[in-house]
Amino acid sequence: MTISQAAGSVCTVSTLTSEKQETANSVNSQVICLPDTDCAIKSQASLSAFTSYRVGGAAEWYVAPRNLEALQASMKYAKEHEIPVTILGAGSNLLVSDRGLPGLVIATRHLRYSHFDPATGQLTVAAGESIPSLAWQAADLGWEGLEWAVGIPGTVGGAVVMNAGAHNSCTADMLISAQVLSPDGTLETLTPEELGYSYRTSLLQGSNRIVTQATFQLRPGADPTKVIAITKEHKQHRLSTQPYNYPSCGSVFRNPKPYSAGWLIEQTGLKGFQIGGAQVALLHANFIVNRGGAKASDIFSLIRHIQHKVQDQWSIWLEPEVKMLGEFQAAC
């Protein structure tokens, strides 16, 4: 697949020193500047540094817009040249194929701003804002409602799309609205009802619309000391029960109620089971960790192995919570 340069000028990498770090692993990267923006599309950008698993091949094309106008320009470019688009947030709930991804990968991690409105108790934030950082900011202000989110390793955009949650709370509980961008450049504001929320999913999953910002309803006016203490408790609970010493994507499987996926996997005897550099975590069986040198194919094979073993013993097929992008060879 080739991107025409008709709508953009070719830049030299030296003119984009602020973005060098993001494509440090790129090979012979071509850079195309988008008109009327400070945004550039790069070719063959390694994605392993942009996923929490630290695995994955290269994006055929990659762009990291820093504002809404640059995001719209990126989407317009992809549409004009009929290029498929993949959205990448913090990369914390993704497994990217070793073969990389075709088309244009748009990273939203640099779309950042936040506004706490004390008159309404509403927090409006851009899609690239870190969920844990927002939880700490709210706690420092004495705003209740985000304590549960301190251990969610992702961005606002990803949380809205997947209805991220923890400690019996979730994004849908406090979301007022989300602004999304369609491929034709149209901006739309959607309510939680219109997003069709259910457990760890929404109608945005699998769609071609991009979350640009979200507004949450919080509860200002509490004692910051109290909110900070509760936030610290949630953080400590995550640290004591989940493995953070190796790269992972967080929980791999959805919980098939009334069971927990971790309990089923542990009872199947798979704690510590390893394929290549990928291992079922010893601390929490619903985590697969990269013990070092793992490939995406190792992690994928381990996911399939777990699914089949749990199916054989419990007649339950575990549904992945992690989103797998790109081509993977089927595992038995």
Side-chain angles (χ1 to χ4, degrees), residues 6-200:
S9 58
V10 178
C11 308
T12 60
V13 176
S14 60
T15 65
L16 298 159
T17 54
S18 65
E19 298 184 11
K20 276 186 176 181
Q21 186 62 38
E22 291 198 346
T23 52
N25 296 324
S26 301
V27 178
N28 299 322
S29 179
Q30 180 182 357
V31 180
I32 300 172
C33 292
L34 294 174
D36 302 319
T37 75
D38 61 354
C39 192
I41 295 175
K42 308 173 185 68
S43 67
Q44 297 304 311
S46 174
L47 295 175
S48 60
F50 301 141
T51 70
S52 58
Y53 259 134
R54 298 297 183 257
V55 300
E60 185 178 13
W61 300 97
Y62 173 89
V63 66
R66 295 178 180 272
N67 53 53
L68 180 58
E69 292 72 25
L71 174 60
Q72 290 173 313
S74 302
M75 291 287 283
K76 180 180 178 182
Y77 196 93
K79 182 181 180 183
E80 288 177 346
H81 297 86
E82 299 182 348
I83 305 163
V85 170
T86 300
I87 304 304
L88 181 68
S92 58
N93 194 44
L94 295 177
L95 178 61
V96 175
S97 167
D98 298 315
R99 301 181 184 183
L101 299 177
L104 177 63
V105 173
I106 299 179
T108 59
R109 66 181 64 218
H110 296 312
L111 299 176
R112 295 184 182 176
Y113 66 83
S114 61
H115 175 64
F116 289 81
D117 185 351
T120 62
Q122 294 181 3
L123 166 63
T124 299
V125 287
E129 286 286 350
S130 161
I131 290 291
S133 294
L134 289 171
W136 286 118
Q137 289 177 48
D140 288 338
L141 291 171
W143 286 40
E144 297 175 309
L146 275 179
E147 298 91 328
W148 61 271
V150 69
I152 303 293
T155 61
V156 167
V160 170
V161 170
M162 71 167 288
N163 192 19
H167 304 289
N168 297 314
S169 296
C170 64
T171 304
D173 294 338
M174 57 199 59
L175 183 73
I176 295 176
S177 64
Q179 185 186 74
V180 299
L181 177 66
S182 297
D184 63 2
T186 303
L187 283 171
E188 189 177 9
T189 300
L190 302 176
T191 65
E193 291 74 25
E194 291 170 320
L195 290 169
Y197 277 128
S198 58
Y199 176 66
R200 300 296 179 266

Side-chain angles (χ1 to χ4, degrees), residues 55-56 95 98 276-278 290 293-300:
V55 300
L95 178 61
D98 298 315
N290 180 354
K295 297 179 180 179
S297 57
D298 296 334
I299 299 168
F300 179 78

